[in-house]
Structure formats: structure tokens, C-alpha cells
Amino acid sequence: MSKKKMTILDFQNYKDEGRKFAYVTAYDYTTASIVNESNCEVILVGDSLAMVMLGYSSTVGVTMEDMIHHIKPVVKGAPNTFIVGDMPFGSYNVSAEQAIASANRMLMETNCDCIKLEGGVDLAPTITKMVKAGIPVMGHIGLTPQTSTSLGGFRVQGGTPESARKLIEDAKAIEAAGAFSIVVECVPSVVAKELTKELRIPVLGIGAGPDVDCQVLVTQDLLGMYGDFKPKFVKQFAQVRKAMVDGLNLFHEETLNGSFPSAEYSFNKDVEIPKLY
Ligand code: KIV
């Protein structure tokens, strides 16, 4: 039986009922259809596509056109899964009007279920206007990869009493602005636990310990596919990269020794070959 697609209201219902859920990335039709077949409830078409799919060194270079190009096939491949479109760097940091226009475009051209953007207290006035304009917004605080250079790199956030207080202020501002949920990335477990207790909306944790409402991971990380690096918070639940290399090597071997294609994989119909001369 295919799973029932989660709605925005379910995010709050799940939190209120203390029911956990799982959130992963996809950037293409095939992966989306695999996630759709799994029990995972939410897909993020993250701007991490810059690094995971396009080989960039950060998420900053990915464009709105890139995002739309990748969100469309994911929406097609995962009809029973809630789909989040990530707003790329530069598409919402000029003004609230720019943010609304960018989000409208993403929602209208892809038919994804909501958008996600990165930022805390400073972004809250923009989120207020977006929500008033009817845009479903998921926040993202803590380690915000689009501004990781300003944060001093990919590092744990909220590790001192002052920065933990700033995180809590950021989270409360995003909730008050009307976001329906918030990603919290790379923070100490005790801080994420406190945030989860303090916030009414669900906290979606990545590298945020066990006491959050939902766990988020990049699919290529959790399946052991991405080979460039592995953050400390990533558990590999499968070794798909190895399985793929093994499969490719078997194909190579059978090509060279002639055992592929056997009769089973060939068209064996008898055809009388006409004499050409
Ligand atoms: O783009 C992404 O994959 C993300 C996750 C790290 C939450 O924003």
C-alpha cells in the first residue's frame, strides 16, 4: 500500500502527538521515486545539489534555474511525499519583495509543497511578509551552509552560552514570523533539545542529536554514496557506492570476457540475411 502524503497541518500534528518522522534529500526522478517507495515522509530538494550533484565546493553557486530544473522531476517521482524546495543564495537576501517573487516562481513552476530558506532574527521580517503573501515557509538556522564563510566554515553552532542564546532567539523569531517548521543544523544535542522544548513548531534536526521532532540527512550521505567527505553526524545506513562500483566492475569484466550479453539478454529471432552482392 502506498503511503499517504503528509500535509503542512500534519507537521504540527506530529509534533503535538510526539510522533517522529524522517526527512531526506533527492535531486532527480529516480531517487525521488525510491524515497517515495520508502517510509520517509519528507523530501528536500536542497541546494546541497551544488555539492552532491554538481561537484561545486559550496552551495553558493547554485541558481534558481538549477533548483527548478531539479525540483520538477522530484515532484513527478514522489507523489506521496511532502516536497520542500530550497531557495538558493541570492534569491531572497535583497528584499522581502524579491523573496516573495522568487518563492512564487519556485512554487508555481515546480508545484513543490513549500520553500525553505536560511536565516534567523534578521530574516524574520521577510518571512512574516512571505507568510502573509500565502507562502508556506520552512526555516533553517544553526549551520547555514549558504553563509558558512561568514560563520567560519562548516562548524558546530551554539557551542557557547552566548551563541546558544542567539540560536534560541533566532528560532523564536522564525516561529513568530509564521514558519511552520524549522531545520536546525549542526548544534549541540542539549541546545537542540532545549529548542525542541521551547518551540511550538517542529524542529527538524541535522547533526542536532536525538531529542528533536524529525531527523534530516542527505540521502547520498546516509546511503554511503557521496565520497568527498563524511560529516561526524552522518551514519551510513547502506554502502551503495561500493555496490555501484562492484556492479560496474562486474559489467566491465563480463564485457571483456564475452559472457555478457548471453542469449537471455540478446534478441534471438532467426532472420534470413539477404545476400548483399
Ligand atoms: O541543502 C540541504 O541539503 C540542506 C540540508 C542540509 C538540510 O539544507
Side-chain angles (χ1 to χ4, degrees):
M1 201 181 72
S2 63
K3 69 189 175 196
K4 188 166 173 292
K5 180 169 170 161
M6 208 172 166
T7 67
I8 289 228
L9 297 181
D10 289 329
F11 278 75
Q12 194 61 54
N13 293 338
Y14 277 41
K15 168 131 191 173
D16 296 345
E17 291 163 14
R19 184 170 162 194
K20 294 206 178 197
F21 54 103
Y23 178 10
V24 299
T25 58
Y27 317 101
D28 66 278
Y29 176 82
T30 301
T31 310
S33 72
I34 293 168
V35 177
N36 197 58
E37 212 173 299
S38 80
N39 296 325
C40 293
E41 289 89 348
V42 184
I43 290 179
L44 169 67
V45 188
D47 62 355
S48 51
L49 98 84
M51 298 167 83
V52 177
M53 302 305 282
L54 306 179
Y56 298 173
S57 58
S58 84
T59 59
V60 170
V62 81
T63 64
M64 181 59 90
E65 282 68 31
D66 293 330
M67 293 307 303
I68 287 173
H69 180 71
H70 285 266
I71 298 169
K72 280 181 177 175
V74 171
V75 169
K76 215 166 184 186
N80 304 109
T81 311
F82 187 94
I83 297 179
V84 183
D86 214 2
M87 299 264 284
F89 182 74
S91 69
Y92 59 93
N93 58 358
V94 175
S95 64
E97 290 66 35
Q98 184 216 19
I100 291 172
S102 300
N104 284 347
R105 181 172 172 210
M106 186 174 272
L107 290 166
M108 290 168 72
E109 289 189 28
T110 69
N111 207 22
C112 65
D113 297 298
C114 79
I115 60 87
K116 173 172 90 57
L117 31 69
E118 299 179 4
V121 169
D122 293 343
L123 191 68
T126 296
I127 294 184
T128 302
K129 288 190 180 162
M130 294 175 84
V131 172
K132 270 203 178 124
I135 295 162
V137 174
M138 176 180 285
H140 183 160
I141 60 163
L143 172 58
T144 44
Q146 291 176 6
T147 45
S148 62
T149 310
S150 317
L151 299 174
F154 289 86
R155 54 199 306 164
V156 175
Q157 302 296 306
T160 62
E162 304 79 57
S163 59
R165 175 157 10 91
K166 164 88 174 74
L167 261 187
I168 294 172
E169 282 167 10
D170 282 339
K172 292 222 159 196
I174 299 304
E175 176 177 89
F180 71 93
S181 61
I182 186 164
V183 170
V184 176
E185 179 166 356
C186 238
V187 306
S189 304
V190 284
V191 177
K193 183 178 181 179
E194 181 65 15
L195 279 175
T196 306
K197 192 157 66 76
E198 283 291 316
L199 292 190
R200 178 187 48 81
I201 58 174
V203 171
L204 321 169
I206 172 163
D211 301 306
V212 290
D213 301 303
C214 161
Q215 291 293 334
V216 188
L217 280 179
V218 167
T219 295
Q220 280 75 2
D221 284 341
L222 80 92
L223 293 182
M225 293 170 81
Y226 184 63
D228 288 6
F229 62 90
K230 188 186 90 57
K232 171 181 161 57
F233 59 78
V234 168
K235 177 174 176 182
Q236 292 181 336
F237 292 84
Q239 295 302 326
V240 172
R241 188 183 184 91
K242 184 176 181 319
M244 288 174 83
V245 173
D246 288 350
L248 289 164
N249 282 341
L250 198 52
F251 168 61
H252 181 259
E253 188 184 317
E254 292 193 12
T255 296
L256 268 55
N257 70 22
S259 58
F260 177 83
S262 59
E264 186 186 353
Y265 301 104
S266 305
F267 300 103
N268 303 309
K269 190 170 188 298
D270 265 345
V271 179
E272 196 180 321
I273 308 296
K275 288 218 166 9
L276 296 177
Y277 50 85

